[in-house]
Amino acid sequence: MENYKYLVLSLTKRRHVIPHDEILICILLNFFMVYCLRGKNKKMENKKFTISVFTENTIGLLHRVTTVFTRRKINIESLTVSETETQGVSRFTIVVNGSYDKIAQVVKQIEKQVEVLKCFFYEDEQIVYQELALYKMPTKVFANSESVEDIIRESNARVLAIEPEFIVIEKTGREHETQALFKKLEPFGILSFVRSGRVAIAKPMKRLQTHLEELESVSLFE
Amino acid sequence: METLLQEVTTEKKPSSQKLNITGAEAVVLSLLAEGVECVFGYPGGAIMPVYDAFYHYQDKLKHYLVRHEQGAIHAAQGYARVKGKAGVAIATSGPGATNLITGIADAMIDSTPVVCITGQVFRHLLGSDAFQEVDVISVSLPITKWNFQVTRAEEIPTAIAKAFYIAQSGRPGPVLIDITKNAQNERFDFEYHKCTKIRSYFPRRKVDMNAVEAAADLLNSAKKPLMLVGQGVILSKAEKELKEFAEKSGIPVASTLLGLSAFSTKHPLYVGYLGMHGNYGPNIKTNECDVLLAVGMRFDDRVTGDLKTYAKQAKVIHIEIDPAEIDKNVKTTVAIIADAKEALIALTEKVTPKSYPDWLQEFADADRIEYEKVVSKDFAPNTEKIKMAEVIKMLSDKTEGKAIIATDVGQHQMTTTRYYQFTETDSNITSGGAGTMGFCLPAAIGAKVGRPDRQVIAIIGDGGFQMTMQELGVIMQYKIPVKIIILNNNFLGMVRQWQQLFFDNRYSSVDMENPDFIKLAEAFSIKAQKVETREELSSALDAMLESPEAYFLEICVEKETNVFPMVPAGAGVGDIRLE
Ligand SMILES: Cc1ncc(C[n+]2csc(CCOP(=O)(O)OP(=O)(O)O)c2C)c(N)n1
């Protein structure tokens, strides 16, 4: 895909030196390739997906859900579990890398588990998501320079705790943002760093309940 | 407890109730409420209260004491397969529970409904490495459809009600309920409500008529359609509907290993059996048909061979109850996610009556080639010893394809499934997806317990027999008239075949020095006979078939015959070898 972008760019840049009919051929070729690559790449290339699993809150279910990934040798990048707005229903937010086809299959296998209510998967554009990072640093960094304070301000981070020996800075944001702050603070000596898994909310407005009602209306139970 | 109840809908009226009883008695009453008539099991410390309850209910619930817990689970599987309802296996904690594992995995991959009940250490000892404590919930997790640990008596009825509902609905499978000893001893007021629905579980979809229309359109304009039927047809009891659909649509029917017996092999539309050692016609025609209609099957790799060259030219219609099977291995054009029976009824209405004489002729031509190259040789009495195929052919003729045939795993299994001409459903009991050696003998016992009215014949290799032969004790103790045929080639035949074909004849640990099987059977008071020549075969089979009791035949067969046709592992179905 990257190569292809470069191709388009170079074609458009050189446009003025190419005779007209060649441009036309190039443009047609462009469209054709966009068409081909889309179909192919979209399903086969590895991407980041966020999977939301809605489950009954039962012991052992975490294990059931994760074995679906381990069986297929898919590495889980992050996983968070929390209660939802519905009592007794938990939400797993799982971030993984994989091809669309593979993840779609995994999602079906997760949904097949008896105590899973519903499972969705999203690309980054389809969700609003956030992570949280904590940075533990020696308290003396404040005394010795002003720049740490500036960095905290500029990064929209905040100081969560101040102890005689250390301070804890908190930053919410996407991975590249928390990572950028890490880079900035690193020269001052980070004692400890931790980042949470991703939490995500899907953009589509349809509620879980509606999905379940739909499923129920097309299902038979005996 | 909270979650167990919250999500479950049950029948309003209790089907059974009794005040102030122990959890152990509740287990038995729950089983009775589910219509269970017999269980297969083995006692031990952590399950003893339940065994004490069995003692009190022995007139209502028959317990078969197996000789190894693997025997219990396979017997429960055999029972489930012929009855079309869940079989029950019971074991104690620790090694008792882990001995069930192979059978649970087998039931999972072959979609067999079984309910396993295991004892567990006291609740307060959980996690402390107590005597015979194994975390069987974690161990069985990836190979059960559902499992649950009960730690309080009050949870027992709901857990068992869910277990039966889950095991038997949708795509069936094994479930396991692990019950701590304190829960078996505690007293409570028992009430049993059958489970009718679980909030998070959608076992079956209504037939989507749009999908049916789309499928019918494809079929109605097809020139060379081919239908592949799997065990889903048997599980949904759709044999009659399959026959009606096939006869109206005129589409040739091929079967998977586990689909065998769903459609009579003698039906003019039956074109054979698929897969690695299946028939030549349906394998090569898979890559020539224009519409492939798969019913209740999952495109296992033993059926498809190399997916890259599998049915690429065909539009694929997939009727399947489990949404996770759709597009898993083969991309579909139309998916009908539904029970096979309901889907077939709907589809039968929409298809136009057709027939495909030329297309069927192509199968007949392929059959002729297979006959010349393979079958005629398999049947020819031209070797010193009897060939497996001769035995199966004769057995098939003598029983008119009407017996329940249980097989183990190996050459004898493939030969049997190739040559036994099944004419009645629920008759093929074999370990398909897992290929579990040792499956046959206990599974045949379970099948005979389930269907005492039918002739049940176990056909086993000398290798596999020795994996679970201790279950002859069950046949002896309960006088179960199973007929047993050992096809003795003194080899782990199928492995030997691979070593011959793919490892340059290097026979590595495949020859077997066997015990005296006849003495062995006789030690269990089972009538036994050894057959070494062709002349003896027919009368020996007659004696076996006519015997009202169990009967054991050891048939000495050619040592180094190979099963053909064969799609070599990793090759495409089009590359099937005839020799
Ligand atoms: C539990 C188990 N272990 C190993 C195998 C691998 N295996 C498949 S077929 C076979 C040989 C079976 O020999 P036998 O039972 O004598 O039957 P035959 O092939 O000779 O008919 C073996 C070892 C298996 N399927 N199951």
Side-chain angles (χ1 to χ4, degrees), chain A residues 56-58 60 63-64 67 72 87-89 101 105 108-109 112 114-117 212 215-222, chain B residues 3 7 138 141 144-147 162 165-166 171 196-197 199-206 322-324 326-328 342:
Chain A
E56 297 294 349
N57 182 8
T58 41
H63 198 355
R64 265 195 191 275
T67 51
R72 286 183 177 256
Q87 209 213 333
V89 175
D101 278 354
Q105 201 56 46
K108 283 198 223 170
Q109 276 172 322
K112 183 170 155 172
V114 170
E115 281 151 339
V116 169
L117 291 147
L212 293 180
L215 248 178
E216 188 158 336
S217 70
V218 298
S219 288
L220 296 162
F221 291 91
E222 73 304 341
Chain B
T3 47
E7 22 149 345
S138 293
L141 186 138
T144 46
K145 188 172 169 189
W146 182 71
N147 63 11
K162 276 183 80 171
Y165 176 62
I166 292 167
R171 178 176 178 175
T196 53
K197 192 174 160 188
R199 175 171 71 172
S200 57
Y201 175 56
F202 302 93
R204 195 145 69 88
R205 305 269 175 93
K206 291 177 188 159
D322 177 1
I326 306 295
D327 292 341
K328 186 178 86 176
E342 286 151 16

Side-chain angles (χ1 to χ4, degrees), chain B residues 173-193:
Chain B
V175 299
L176 183 142
I177 303 291
D178 192 36
I179 310 179
T180 56
K181 202 165 174 183
N182 61 291
Q184 299 170 42
N185 290 331
E186 285 162 13
R187 292 186 165 270
F188 74 115
D189 294 339
F190 169 80
E191 233 179 64
Y192 196 83
H193 298 264

Side-chain angles (χ1 to χ4, degrees), chain B residues 303-507:
Chain B
V303 162
T304 63
D306 182 14
L307 282 171
K308 285 192 216 78
T309 59
Y310 184 79
K312 287 295 171 205
Q313 80 296 341
K315 297 231 160 48
V316 177
I317 304 167
H318 196 177
I319 298 177
E320 169 58 48
I321 198 163
D322 177 1
E325 290 299 343
I326 306 295
D327 292 341
K328 186 178 86 176
N329 296 333
V330 173
K331 287 261 177 270
T332 48
T333 313
V334 178
I336 304 177
I337 303 172
D339 180 73
K341 185 182 212 150
E342 286 151 16
L344 283 170
I345 292 172
L347 200 53
T348 306
E349 252 183 49
K350 299 285 173 198
V351 289
T352 43
K354 276 171 102 171
S355 66
Y356 303 89
D358 296 344
W359 176 225
L360 276 171
Q361 187 55 46
E362 290 186 34
F363 285 93
D365 294 344
D367 276 352
R368 195 165 333 103
I369 296 171
E370 184 178 338
Y371 189 85
E372 272 163 30
K373 296 242 157 121
V374 184
V375 183
S376 60
K377 291 180 191 160
D378 282 354
F379 289 163
N382 58 358
T383 45
E384 191 200 324
K385 285 193 179 152
I386 308 169
K387 283 182 264 188
M388 286 188 186
E390 295 175 73
V391 178
I392 305 304
K393 171 92 175 73
M394 192 178 280
L395 184 71
S396 183
D397 291 345
K398 283 186 191 291
T399 54
E400 295 167 353
K402 287 192 174 123
I404 291 177
I405 301 292
T407 43
D408 210 69
V409 175
Q411 291 188 313
H412 67 280
Q413 174 194 33
M414 291 297 119
T415 307
T416 305
T417 44
R418 280 180 54 72
Y419 293 124
Y420 193 84
Q421 292 189 286
F422 292 98
T423 55
E424 271 183 38
T425 188
D426 295 335
S427 297
N428 169 41
I429 314 296
T430 199
S431 166
T436 304
M437 282 173 75
F439 172 85
C440 179
L441 185 63
I445 292 170
K448 185 68 189 178
V449 168
R451 290 299 302 269
D453 56 313
R454 289 186 65 188
Q455 182 79 267
V456 176
I457 305 167
I459 300 173
I460 322 179
D462 48 313
F465 175 63
Q466 292 179 68
M467 284 205 175
T468 49
M469 63 184 176
Q470 74 284 349
E471 303 307 330
L472 290 176
V474 181
I475 294 176
M476 170 176 71
Q477 182 167 353
Y478 301 98
K479 306 199 171 21
I480 300 168
V482 174
K483 311 299 166 63
I484 302 158
I485 297 178
I486 305 297
L487 293 178
N488 184 1
N489 54 9
N490 275 96
F491 265 126
L492 296 176
M494 189 55 95
V495 177
R496 185 209 54 74
Q497 173 169 346
W498 282 48
Q499 288 176 349
Q500 182 186 347
L501 298 177
F502 310 118
F503 293 87
D504 228 354
N505 278 311
R506 289 186 298 278
Y507 288 179

